[in-house]
Amino acid sequence: MSVAIYAGTFDPITNGHIDIIKRSAALFDKVIVGVLVNINKKPLFEMDERLVMIDEVLKDLENVEVKTFSGLLVEFAKQEGANVLVRGLRTTTDFEYELQMAQINRKIDDTIDTMFFATDPGLSFISSSAVKELWNYDQDISEYVPEYVIWQMQKKKK
Ligand code: COA
């Protein structure tokens, strides 16, 4: 069985992430969305809130599971029986960073490979921070995140 991990902070999940998850779900038997307990970022959404949002927006994808992890991504992958790490490439800047991460991860464990998806061009400039920034300035973010996420963001603003 082919199991892939798509990891991130997902604060919040965006249509860019969802695009990569859907395309992965079409290729692998199972996709695990790994939500990092990230001590380097101060998230807008608590872990529980992020998990609820991700579950809700991915509920139609039967072969996708959502789990939290801390520590090394390859360790999490091994623990879950996954042999592929999925990443999205938005720009050449992503490429440089992602190549280095893929090589580090391969150095730690060469039984786990990284696969890259070229991001949909219409979504290549999105990040969770950009969505939050636009939202702070009352801009329309409906192209970038699902309705459910907007609803949760509205609750935060209040
Ligand atoms: N569409 C939209 N946004 C995307 C995207 C896509 N396809 N791909 C990435 N992004 C966004 C993310 O939302 C994130 O936005 P933010 O910085 O505003 O939160 C930004 O681009 C960077 O993405 P990413 O590099 O995936 O960061 P992340 O914090 O979401 O996830 C991990 C980083 C979890 C993959 C990485 O830190 C990790 O593997 N950590 C575990 C420790 C480890 O094993 N390290 C490697 C060995 S040292």
Side-chain angles (χ1 to χ4, degrees), residues 109-128:
D109 187 335
D110 67 5
T111 66
I112 297 173
D113 251 311
T114 302
M115 272 188 60
F116 299 103
F117 283 86
T119 305
D120 185 294
L123 300 169
S124 62
F125 51 88
I126 299 180
S127 69
S128 300

Side-chain angles (χ1 to χ4, degrees), residues 4-66:
I5 303 269
Y6 183 56
T9 307
F10 303 109
D11 182 47
I13 189 164
T14 68
N15 290 343
H17 298 129
I18 295 168
D19 173 53
I20 303 292
I21 296 164
K22 283 186 174 163
R23 288 157 68 192
S24 307
L27 281 183
F28 299 100
D29 296 319
K30 183 159 96 176
V31 176
I32 299 170
V33 177
V35 188
L36 178 70
V37 181
N38 195 340
I39 48 166
N40 298 317
K41 288 187 177 178
K42 199 182 170 309
L44 172 66
F45 291 100
E46 298 298 331
M47 178 57 85
D48 287 357
E49 296 174 313
R50 276 178 276 156
L51 291 175
V52 168
M53 271 190 286
I54 299 169
D55 268 335
E56 173 62 30
V57 301
L58 300 178
K59 65 178 181 222
D60 294 335
L61 297 174
E62 283 176 7
N63 60 338
V64 176
E65 287 178 14
V66 185

